[in-house]
Amino acid sequence: DTEVTQTPKHLVMGMTNKKSLKCEQHMGHRAMYWYKQKAKKPPELMFVYSYEKLSINESVPSRFSPECPNSSLLNLHLHALQPEDSALYLCASSQLMAVETQYFGPGTRLLVL
Amino acid sequence: QKEVEQNSGPLSVPEGAIASLNCTYSDRGSQSFFWYRQYSGKSPELIMFIYSNGDKEDGRFTAQLNKASQYVSLLIRDSQPSDSATYLCAVWVMRGNKLVFGAGTILRVKS
């Protein structure tokens, strides 16, 4: 089973709202990732967690705040977003944070008004 | 120079033909290479990965890797309309220790 789940599927929020995206995997993977994908562009890495510790932050604005409560869960907290943050947010996981295959969840499509 | 480069296409092939998708990368230390398929509005789906020089076959798909030329390709035999999608080449880049995606090639298979 290579399933990564994400909730919600769609999210519309105002620029003053606070919301969270959730990601879950039960494959025993110890690395989890957040990517952002704009239309007709490839996924761009935002954050990487390895063994529940933040390993990579790709200079993402502080209005995006990741959290890894345990080895199966990954959250992305959103606050004071801008319309240009509207995108598909993808969660992925892999056995380890190395050269391993990453499996993607279905994504959350976010619209910021 | 981009770390991973792909021709954006679209690449149009007739049903039943072989589709050939190409990708080049700049980091000579890269060891892992992946092909993902992405349908419009959906998330990337892994098709194949390849680590060693040469060919790797899985059903209708063949991945080819040439590390000396820093080139990786994906061949799709007997292309079907359902293969119409964007194909993303991804390379694990040692500098930065992360997966970097190419811009993707749009494939259209015409019935």
Side-chain angles (χ1 to χ4, degrees), chain B residues 34-102:
Chain B
F34 306 87
W35 284 99
Y36 287 86
R37 176 175 63 196
Q38 188 170 26
Y39 293 111
S40 181
K42 302 294 185 182
S43 66
E45 172 194 8
L46 179 72
I47 296 177
M48 293 193 70
F49 61 87
I50 186 166
Y51 300 149
S52 304
N53 274 330
D55 295 359
K56 179 181 179 182
E57 188 174 317
D58 184 1
R60 296 187 297 114
F61 299 97
T62 299
Q64 299 175 316
L65 174 61
N66 184 326
K67 289 185 180 179
S69 300
Q70 295 174 245
Y71 177 92
V72 58
S73 65
L74 180 70
L75 300 177
I76 306 175
R77 289 180 298 281
D78 188 24
S79 295
Q80 301 297 309
S82 58
D83 294 326
S84 298
T86 297
Y87 288 79
L88 296 163
C89 172
V91 177
W92 189 273
V93 174
M94 301 306 287
R95 286 194 300 262
N97 200 22
K98 62 183 181 181
L99 193 63
V100 176
F101 287 84

Side-chain angles (χ1 to χ4, degrees), chain A residues 37 58 97-99 101-102 105, chain B residues 32 36 38 43 92 97-98:
Chain A
Q37 187 176 25
E58 289 286 299
M97 193 200 106
V99 296
T101 300
Q102 293 183 21
Chain B
S32 303
Y36 287 86
Q38 188 170 26
S43 66
W92 189 273
N97 200 22
K98 62 183 181 181

